[in-house]
Amino acid sequence: MTGSRRNVRKRGPEPQAAKRDHYLLLMAQGMSNSAACREVGINRRTGTRWRYGRTSTDHAGRTRSYPPITQQPRVVSSRFLSEDERVRLADLLRAGNSMREVARQLGRSPATISREIRRNRDPHSGVYHPHQAEQRAVARRARSTDGKLRRNPQLRQFVQ
């Protein structure tokens, strides 16, 4: 018996990278979503999904997130320690350097290094873990006050 294989068809549409790039260019030039979608030849809803991202759940209950294509990574002020600085801090501490020496090598104040270690070391072992420290710092970082202003109309007069 000769094994004839069925034509195996790829699932889903072809990638639309060129269309996405053209869409982004048109949006950057100030064109509206509807006009950019017409120009590129895609559905308006597709353009909206590309712009804002989406989350979908399949029949098995698995969730997949598609990030927006227009979102730039958020740049954090140099005032805060970066994850690379935290990793270097941990390496220098493991090497036996003092806090002042670590601060000098990182170009930071000794008080900054002391505060970072005190806030973010493991409470049980006392060991400083840089990636956990980064997660804690991101969680503590200041957030927008828009919500506070909407909830309290008396504060709106101070923000204009």
Side-chain angles (χ1 to χ4, degrees):
M1 174 189 217
T2 59
S4 63
R5 295 181 71 167
R6 286 188 290 159
N7 282 341
V8 179
R9 203 177 75 137
K10 280 176 43 177
R11 295 182 63 162
E14 290 293 318
Q16 298 183 354
K19 286 185 176 183
R20 273 194 298 235
D21 292 341
H22 189 68
Y23 172 80
L24 281 176
L25 179 67
L26 294 173
M27 293 298 290
Q29 293 173 353
M31 193 175 278
S32 71
N33 182 52
S34 298
C37 290
R38 266 193 308 275
E39 177 88 18
V40 173
I42 58 173
N43 190 305
R44 186 179 49 82
R45 187 179 290 174
T46 302
T48 302
R49 286 178 179 158
W50 284 353
R51 189 173 184 189
Y52 297 110
R54 69 182 175 117
T55 301
S56 64
T57 306
D58 64 7
H59 64 280
R62 291 182 299 249
T63 303
R64 294 182 67 178
S65 291
Y66 300 93
I69 61 174
T70 58
Q71 186 176 19
Q72 298 296 322
R74 187 171 174 201
V75 178
V76 179
S77 170
S78 61
R79 183 181 124 199
F80 301 105
L81 287 174
S82 67
E83 190 168 9
D84 292 337
E85 286 178 308
R86 287 187 169 94
V87 169
R88 193 159 168 228
L89 186 153
D91 291 342
L92 292 170
L93 286 175
R94 256 185 238 114
N97 292 308
S98 68
M99 281 195 219
R100 287 190 177 275
E101 178 61 23
V102 170
R104 190 184 64 70
Q105 287 191 25
L106 291 178
R108 299 285 187 159
S109 165
T112 302
I113 302 303
S114 173
R115 185 181 327 113
E116 173 68 19
I117 295 168
R118 186 180 67 245
R119 282 182 177 174
N120 295 315
R121 68 178 169 218
D122 187 344
H124 301 294
S125 66
V127 178
Y128 179 79
H129 300 287
H131 299 290
Q132 291 175 358
E134 177 72 13
Q135 290 174 351
R136 288 187 194 122
V138 168
R140 280 195 307 264
R141 199 164 289 145
R143 290 164 299 282
S144 172
T145 58
D146 289 345
K148 292 178 187 175
L149 296 176
R150 275 193 220 112
R151 284 193 306 265
N152 191 347
Q154 295 171 347
L155 294 177
R156 289 185 193 155
Q157 64 187 356
F158 299 114
V159 179
Q160 295 169 1

